[in-house]
Amino acid sequence: MTTHAATAQAAHLGEQGMSRGMFGMVLFIASEIMLFGGLFAGYFYMRNQAASWPPEGVHEVDPVTGGILTAILVISGLSAHMGVVGAKAGNQGLFIFGLAGALLLGTIFIGGQIYEWFLLMDHGLTAESGVYGSSFYVLTGFHGAHVIVGLAMLLVVFIRGFWRDFTPKRHLFVDASVLYWHFVDIVWVFLYAALYVLV
Amino acid sequence: MATGAIARPAHEAKEYTGLLAWLLTTDHKKIGIMYLIFTIIFFFTGGVLALLVRLQLAWSDAGILSQDQYNQFFTMHASTMLFLFVIPVGAGFANYLLPLMIGAKDMAYPRINALSLWLIPLAALVMFSSFFIEGGSAAAGWTEYPPLTNGTFMPGKGTDLWILGVQILGISSVGGAINFLVTTMTMRAPGMTLARMPIFVWMIVVTSVLVTFATPVLAGVLTMLFTDRNVGTSFFDPREGGNPILWQQLFWFYSHPAVYIMVLPAMGIISEVLPVFSRKPLFGYKAVIYAGAAIGVLGFTVWMHHMFATGLSAPLTIWTMFATMSIGVPTGVKMFNWLGTMWGGSISLKAPMLFAVGFLFMFLIGGIDGVYSAFVPVDYALNDTYWVVSHIHYVLFGGSVFGIFAGIFYWFPKMTGKFLNETLGKLQFWLMLIGMNLTFMPMHILGLKGMPRRIADYEAGLGWEYWNLVATIGAFTIGVSMMVFIANFFMSLKTAPKTAGDDPWEGNTLEWMISSPPPEQNFDTLPEINSERPAWDARMQRQGFAGRTQQHS
Ligand code: HEM
Ligand SMILES: [Cu+2]
């Protein structure tokens, strides 16, 4: 019977198009966007039906603290980007510097957020403080969990890169992880706008 | 043909045997078969719960189940059937077939694939364990509406375990969906263009897009319910500024697309079966794909037809009504494609074909029911009555389940090299068909007579007794048909000779060009692909027909 000249002994049968790993990450991020989309929709639904926002008598979150957190995360994103540039150029120094910076700032962000949570709880804003508190803690908590996942990925990138596991041609895992990190950053910017700034 | 062993690279060479070969496998075919086995076991579990529910409703004041038991059993019946059977069984077929059908060696991410599989029994353990704890399982229906599901009315941990189980299944689904999409987009064999992919693959693509985009919203809203119950948040508590309607909005934003997640794979299956047993190409290949995609897109716009009775604003109500009815259009297009495929064909009514034809007729009834309930004034009357239960089951049992059995009878020879027994298959089909109509047709009448769904008992003298008894008899007829299937399955597996060969049905798609069961690496040599029916082309050439199949679309 008719068969193609090429046999299928090679590991990949007719691979085509975008790199497989990156494509998977893009789809994963798309599904994550829907996750946060649903949460945001819920937030605005409740906000819209409220008589006033923030509802009377609750302790408001502080845009300055949130702003500092935002700045930290955005700089961390820039730093991670430097790491990718380093990996692409084969510049190990830049790669290590960029990723170490991103990891450090990301960790500071998580620490800062936990600190802020405790501070707010001291002022009486808890998850039980009506929908204002509910949505603040659930949204930032969801996001925080994603930051931790992102940090774990960056840590793996860092360790593998430290042992020179990537080359200017093979650095898919760096790209995919940093793309995820950017996603986590961007979600935070929207969260900051919705939870801290928008009046 | 194409069965020679391949020397594998050293790092893959460690071979497990026996049970371990299955438990530790990342081979899509083994994973697919395990998906099918697990999900069919859950199908029977859900079925037993359904029979208990029907037994309780057979007579007024039957006294077989307590009210609490009744609530738990109907809730877990639906949850099991939807989340542990219909949704993952589609992924099971896709796992086995999709790589074969596009000429790939395996899925794009074999280890994530194994993870998606094993999360399913884990979730089942979590959900079913709730039967053994204080307060029992979830009991507010598969839709779990607050305030019924808040900590006051449902204090037991059953609801929390239910949430956890569904979350785990969501992770499994999304992992699977991303895997299918990446596999389809990056691992097709040379010549397998998008416009030549089997319809089954296309329907899995649409399903996977729905899973990727809808399931995360469910994850979000389930978390909100979980924190409402356990952390003291108040998303669904109006006393604290929340709103239970928010649950319905987000839940149905997922769950309406989810009904297409449940039926599109079955539509893909019958789109493969009907042409083969009509000995004709599928009528309107492209139309079926476009209609499937249209259903997928429209499916995201109509979720509020589950909420007419909540007092939506008039513009929303009217929009949702028309959008919902418009889904009837692509669905109708598909119907015509399937009927057109059979039209003038030389039809052979083997078991797979019987189930596929059964799908057409039963799904048609379900679709018509759906369009009825989409009519707002009609829905005001029928909402939360047995009419809706009837609609659900004509589309999901008459549609999805018939399609799934068409698939089982059609691909069993590929998976095992043996046929399922044809006579028993026909017996099962007729029992199922009669049983389902006895069960679900009377529910139309009960609905029109105002019998509410989700009640554990009813008074005598309301005119509901006769039809309830008929429905229960029908349900047990379905039960008998399943016993026939189980007997057929084990008998055929044990005693049937390996007579299927590579291509028992004269199929169209690539999986019929390799041995049954297929070799570990699927294809030693890739067949030539010049149309959407490569196996047909090759057969024609073998039989000495000059030229290729005409392109039709
Ligand atoms: C022609 C297409 C369809 C239309 C117009 C339609 C319409 C509707 C409407 C209006 C309802 C709400 C009834 C009520 O609660 O008052 C409904 C419920 C439902 N439909 Fe459909 N439907 C269609 C197809 C399907 C399909 C293909 C499936 C699944 C495979 C499906 C599964 C369900 C389920 C599970 C419910 C009930 C959910 C619940 O409340 O438990 N429908 N449908
Ligand atoms: Cu719907």
Side-chain angles (χ1 to χ4, degrees):
Chain A
M1 65 150 296
T2 49
T3 48
H4 219 256
T7 62
Q9 301 211 334
H12 305 297
L13 299 184
E15 195 172 334
Q16 39 191 265
M18 190 201 291
S19 122
R20 207 182 281 173
M22 208 57 180
F23 191 27
M25 180 52 84
V26 168
L27 286 171
F28 179 60
I29 289 176
S31 85
E32 294 264 63
I33 289 175
M34 290 306 289
L35 173 68
F36 281 100
L39 293 170
F40 272 108
Y43 170 72
F44 282 107
Y45 186 94
M46 287 175 311
R47 201 179 151 128
N48 273 341
Q49 68 167 25
S52 64
W53 197 266
E56 263 173 59
V58 300
H59 177 80
E60 269 186 70
V61 297
D62 174 20
V64 176
T65 326
I68 297 171
L69 288 174
T70 309
I72 292 172
L73 208 54
V74 168
I75 298 172
S76 148
L78 294 176
S79 179
H81 183 72
M82 267 177 11
V84 177
V85 173
K88 275 191 184 141
N91 183 340
Q92 181 75 357
L94 188 63
F95 169 81
I96 293 288
F97 177 74
L99 271 164
L103 274 167
L104 185 69
L105 290 167
T107 313
I108 293 175
F109 173 87
I110 282 290
Q113 191 171 57
I114 294 174
Y115 176 72
E116 190 204 12
W117 275 23
F118 278 115
L119 219 61
L120 289 171
M121 286 183 211
D122 279 347
H123 284 99
L125 181 73
T126 69
E128 303 187 34
S129 315
V131 281
Y132 185 81
S134 301
S135 42
F136 176 78
Y137 285 101
V138 168
L139 264 73
T140 56
F142 246 110
H143 178 262
H146 284 75
V147 173
I148 290 170
V149 172
L151 281 174
M153 284 163 63
L154 290 186
L155 189 64
V156 176
V157 170
F158 182 78
I159 292 171
R160 279 180 60 180
F162 187 79
W163 296 106
R164 305 206 173 239
D165 214 6
F166 304 111
T167 66
K169 285 210 171 119
R170 272 191 62 253
H171 50 76
L172 167 72
F173 192 69
V174 186
D175 294 3
S177 307
V178 171
L179 185 67
Y180 189 75
W181 189 246
H182 289 327
F183 159 73
V184 171
D185 276 6
I186 293 170
V187 171
W188 175 263
V189 173
F190 281 100
L191 271 183
Y192 175 62
L195 295 177
Y196 291 82
V197 181
L198 193 72
V199 282
Chain B
M1 60 150 292
T3 47
I6 303 176
R8 288 191 297 159
H11 67 278
E12 282 184 39
K14 80 178 166 241
E15 288 258 12
Y16 296 100
T17 49
L19 194 59
L20 271 188
W22 286 87
L23 295 184
L24 300 177
T25 189
T26 54
D27 172 34
H28 74 99
K29 296 183 292 299
K30 286 203 171 84
I31 290 181
I33 287 177
M34 285 190 283
Y35 254 101
L36 293 174
I37 291 174
F38 276 129
T39 49
I40 290 172
I41 291 174
F42 299 139
F43 177 54
F44 291 127
T45 316
V48 170
L49 292 171
L51 291 182
L52 289 169
V53 164
R54 274 318 318 167
L55 209 55
Q56 165 69 15
L57 290 176
W59 305 276
S60 155
D61 196 16
I64 288 158
L65 304 177
S66 72
Q67 297 212 353
D68 281 341
Q69 281 171 331
Y70 181 87
N71 290 344
Q72 293 177 27
F73 288 2
F74 89 75
T75 299
M76 292 304 280
H77 155 67
S79 308
T80 307
M81 288 301 197
L82 300 179
F83 296 122
L84 285 170
F85 167 57
V86 188
I87 294 178
V89 81
F93 278 108
N95 246 302
Y96 192 90
L97 294 166
L98 188 139
L100 293 177
M101 284 181 156
I102 61 171
K105 191 180 74 155
D106 203 326
M107 298 277 284
Y109 311 116
R111 274 173 297 184
I112 292 182
N113 203 22
L115 178 69
S116 295
L117 166 71
W118 291 107
L119 287 177
I120 292 173
L122 175 68
L125 277 180
V126 170
M127 283 167 80
F128 289 133
S129 67
S130 61
F131 280 125
F132 307 103
I133 62 170
E134 202 178 312
S137 72
W142 78 281
T143 51
E144 294 288 316
Y145 281 7
L148 190 54
T149 42
N150 70 19
T152 314
F153 297 125
M154 288 281 163
K157 285 286 157 220
T159 307
D160 298 312
L161 289 171
W162 182 92
I163 293 173
L164 199 61
V166 176
Q167 292 284 43
I168 296 172
L169 290 168
I171 296 170
S172 158
S173 287
V174 173
I178 292 179
N179 224 332
F180 295 134
L181 289 172
V182 177
T183 306
T184 313
M185 290 307 158
T186 64
M187 296 177 72
R188 296 192 310 281
M192 180 56 75
T193 59
L194 287 178
R196 289 176 186 160
M197 293 197 313
I199 297 284
F200 176 77
V201 175
W202 267 110
M203 292 306 113
I204 294 301
V205 166
V206 178
T207 305
S208 301
V209 171
L210 294 180
V211 170
T212 308
F213 286 91
T215 311
V217 177
L218 179 69
V221 75
L222 285 174
T223 308
M224 289 153 102
L225 184 62
F226 189 86
T227 57
D228 265 19
R229 292 172 50 80
N230 295 291
V231 185
T233 58
S234 44
F235 291 105
F236 309 121
D237 183 352
R239 290 168 306 182
E240 300 281 342
N243 191 338
I245 300 294
L246 174 62
W247 166 268
Q248 295 192 27
Q249 293 282 9
L250 293 175
F251 178 84
W252 289 116
F253 181 88
Y254 162 76
S255 288
H256 184 80
V259 305
Y260 295 104
I261 294 171
M262 297 169 201
V263 83
L264 284 169
M267 289 179 163
I269 291 173
I270 69 158
S271 302
E272 299 302 330
V273 169
L274 289 170
V276 169
F277 291 88
S278 305
R279 314 245 45 86
K280 271 180 65 191
L282 184 75
F283 177 72
Y285 170 84
K286 289 229 169 92
V288 177
I289 297 171
Y290 287 130
I295 289 177
V297 173
L298 283 172
F300 271 109
T301 65
V302 298
W303 75 91
M304 281 180 267
H305 63 220
H306 297 274
M307 302 170 57
F308 287 141
T310 58
L312 298 171
S313 70
L316 275 181
T317 304
I318 291 172
W319 154 258
T320 304
M321 173 166 105
F322 283 113
T324 303
M325 288 179 171
S326 70
I327 291 196
V329 176
T331 314
V333 169
K334 287 196 167 210
M335 275 295 186
F336 278 111
N337 288 124
W338 290 323
L339 292 175
T341 303
M342 291 165 63
W343 192 268
S346 50
I347 291 172
S348 102
L349 283 178
K350 293 261 173 55
M353 183 65 167
L354 278 179
F355 283 104
V357 176
F359 175 115
L360 291 186
F361 286 99
M362 295 303 101
F363 188 78
L364 179 65
I365 299 179
I368 295 174
D369 288 352
V371 178
Y372 264 84
S373 350
F375 237 116
V376 177
V378 179
D379 187 67
Y380 284 158
L382 297 177
N383 178 237
D384 265 340
T385 70
Y386 261 86
W387 176 280
V388 177
V389 182
S390 176
H391 162 64
I392 298 175
H393 288 93
Y394 271 95
V395 284
L396 283 172
F397 194 91
S400 307
V401 176
F402 272 71
I404 287 159
F405 275 109
I408 291 174
F409 276 82
Y410 184 56
W411 282 297
F412 188 86
K414 179 50 60 185
M415 296 176 185
T416 63
K418 303 168 171 190
F419 286 102
L420 282 168
N421 182 294
E422 188 60 30
T423 316
L424 289 179
K426 288 190 169 127
L427 178 66
Q428 180 200 342
F429 168 77
W430 288 109
L431 284 172
M432 245 171 91
L433 189 76
I434 295 168
M436 88 151 276
N437 282 292
L438 278 181
T439 314
F440 303 119
M441 194 53 88
M443 292 185 186
H444 287 115
I445 305 169
L446 289 169
L448 291 172
K449 287 184 175 222
M451 179 168 168
R453 61 195 285 209
R454 298 174 173 169
I455 51 168
D457 196 5
Y458 50 91
E459 267 178 57
L462 293 168
W464 299 346
E465 293 147 283
Y466 178 75
W467 292 117
N468 268 305
L469 185 59
V470 173
T472 300
I473 293 170
F476 278 85
T477 313
I478 297 175
V480 173
S481 78
M482 293 306 148
M483 304 313 280
V484 175
F485 173 72
I486 296 178
N488 191 353
F489 180 83
F490 284 107
M491 245 181 54
S492 305
L493 208 56
K494 251 192 115 137
T495 63
K498 283 209 167 192
T499 50
D502 293 3
D503 185 13
W505 314 112
E506 306 208 323
N508 292 330
T509 36
L510 282 183
E511 78 273 24
W512 305 111
M513 302 180 76
I514 45 175
S515 61
S516 311
E520 180 131 7
Q521 306 274 315
N522 295 349
F523 299 91
D524 294 350
T525 44
L526 277 174
E528 198 175 336
I529 302 161
N530 293 305
S531 77
E532 74 269 17
R533 298 197 294 162
W536 192 87
D537 292 346
R539 194 177 320 110
M540 287 298 115
Q541 264 195 5
R542 250 196 331 271
Q543 294 171 358
F545 287 83
R548 297 242 144 70
T549 172
Q550 299 127 335
Q551 297 290 324
H552 57 82
S553 44

